[in-house]
Amino acid sequence: MEPRQIYTRAALNGAVAGVIAMAAAITAFSLLGHNPIGLAILLGIAFGVVTFAVVAVGIYAVLRSRHPRVRPPGRQA
């Protein structure tokens, strides 16, 4: 698997998880917390961004361990 494919897959999976987490957090904070909708949106966005980062880094680490970099013959590190 090429590095570009690994980056893309990690970013897309992280983005999907972040959007789902953001929607869930906005719903939970607005309905269950009795907070103003502006605060619920800000907390939801923050939660979505953190979730995006954690999932993207986790998926990148797993894919990088399964598909190590292959150096062309005759090329040294």
Side-chain angles (χ1 to χ4, degrees), residues 1-8 64 67:
M1 183 174 274
E2 294 181 19
R4 185 177 298 144
Q5 290 174 324
I6 293 174
Y7 297 140
T8 303
R64 180 53 71 198
H67 304 281

Side-chain angles (χ1 to χ4, degrees), residues 27-44:
T27 303
F29 283 125
S30 63
L31 295 179
L32 302 176
H34 304 291
N35 293 323
I37 190 68
L39 179 62
I41 290 172
L42 286 176
L43 290 173

Side-chain angles (χ1 to χ4, degrees), residues 61-74:
V62 168
L63 288 176
R64 180 53 71 198
S65 68
R66 289 184 183 172
H67 304 281
R69 293 182 182 166
V70 177
R71 299 200 183 274

Side-chain angles (χ1 to χ4, degrees), residues 15-31:
V16 169
V19 168
I20 292 170
M22 182 178 66
I26 289 173
T27 303
F29 283 125
S30 63
L31 295 179

